[in-house]
């Protein structure tokens, strides 16, 4: 419902990052396209999709694309080491990772310790630097500057209830390993409304 409500803002700017300017309409197209692609990869409601990147234009696209198909988004701390990122992947049971090139470079040496990982979509990486199971996110949604050129499409039709799980955020782990805290769609939307 929140993603659908952004249609009312159309060509107004949603995200500005350096020289990248993405409108609400372009963002929606990218979310719908990536959500459909995740479903084609076999991601179903309740599956975990990890998100490991700095604050790039692709971050809100990846987050919402997973959330609108009922997947549980696992935002991993971009400051974590490769070993810590790999821990978050395995502990959460994520089978899909959406990340930037720096995070992929950190995690790649630990691929053997992430047996659940089936797909990695990496943004802002040279294709030559990617090896299975990684491929460029741009092959699916293009670069942020081209989101507006994506075809019009609806969000995938998935029945989502307010108390369905939508996130696993990791605690700071001050007395040991970080622990994943499950959050619901209701939690996420209530937080947004409270903040506003």
């Amino acid at each position: 419902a929140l993603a659908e409500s952004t249609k009312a803002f159309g060509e107004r700017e949603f995200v500005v990052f350096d020289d990248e300017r993405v409108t609400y309409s372009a963002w929606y197209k990218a979310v719908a396209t990536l959500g459909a692609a995740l479903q084609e990869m076999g991601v179903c409601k309740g599956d975990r999709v990890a998100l490991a990147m700095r604050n790039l234009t692709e971050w809100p696209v990846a987050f919402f694309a997973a959330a609108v198909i009922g997947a549980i988004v696992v935002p991993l701390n971009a400051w974590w080491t490769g070993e810590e990122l790999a821990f978050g992947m395995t502990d959460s049971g994520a089978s899909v990772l959406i990340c930037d090139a720096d995070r992929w470079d950190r995690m790649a040496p630990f691929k053997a310790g992430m047996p659940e990982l089936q797909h990695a979509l990496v943004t802002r990486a040279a294709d030559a630097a990617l090896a299975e199971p990684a491929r460029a996110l741009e092959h699916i949604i293009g670069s942020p500057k081209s989101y507006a050129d994506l075809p019009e499409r609806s969000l995938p039709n998935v029945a989502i209830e307010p108390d369905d799980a939508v996130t696993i955020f990791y605690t700071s782990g001050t007395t040991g390993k970080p622990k994943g805290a499950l959050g619901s769609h209701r939690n996420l939307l209530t937080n947004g409304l409270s903040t506003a």
Side-chain angles (χ1 to χ4, degrees):
L2 181 59
E4 288 291 346
S5 74
T6 65
K7 287 180 172 180
F9 300 100
E11 296 311 306
R12 289 175 59 184
E13 288 180 343
F14 176 68
V15 176
V16 176
F17 176 73
D18 290 337
D19 65 340
E20 297 169 5
R21 299 179 112 64
V22 177
T23 65
Y24 283 90
S25 174
W27 170 83
Y28 184 94
K29 289 178 181 181
V31 168
T33 301
L34 182 55
L38 290 170
Q39 286 183 318
E40 289 168 14
M41 290 177 209
V43 177
C44 298
K45 184 176 179 178
D47 290 346
R48 277 77 167 161
V49 175
L51 177 53
M53 70 174 71
R54 52 184 282 242
N55 294 336
L56 297 172
T57 309
E58 295 88 342
W59 202 101
V61 171
F63 185 95
F64 272 84
V68 299
I69 63 168
I72 299 173
V73 188
V74 186
L76 299 174
N77 189 329
W79 290 102
W80 278 356
T81 65
E83 186 175 15
E84 289 169 324
L85 290 165
F87 164 79
M89 287 290 300
T90 55
D91 185 69
S92 69
S95 59
V96 176
L97 168 67
I98 305 173
C99 65
D100 60 25
D102 290 342
R103 266 32 65 178
W104 180 247
D105 289 344
R106 285 186 210 167
M107 296 173 77
F110 301 94
K111 281 190 296 191
M114 297 183 282
E116 299 291 322
L117 180 62
Q118 297 173 14
H119 303 280
L121 303 176
V122 184
T123 191
R124 302 181 191 241
D127 278 349
L130 299 178
E132 285 295 326
R135 63 184 172 132
L137 178 62
E138 290 80 2
H139 289 176
I140 298 171
I141 58 173
S143 71
K145 291 181 180 181
S146 67
Y147 290 168
D149 299 330
L150 289 166
E152 294 283 348
R153 65 188 316 160
S154 298
L155 295 177
N157 186 16
V158 178
I160 298 173
E161 297 297 324
D163 293 318
D164 287 344
V166 68
T167 55
I168 296 176
F169 281 102
Y170 276 86
T171 64
S172 60
T174 54
T175 59
K177 297 261 188 214
K179 296 175 181 59
L182 198 61
S184 70
H185 284 266
R186 186 188 308 273
N187 296 145
L188 195 62
L189 292 174
T190 301
N191 181 58
L193 290 169
S194 299
T195 302

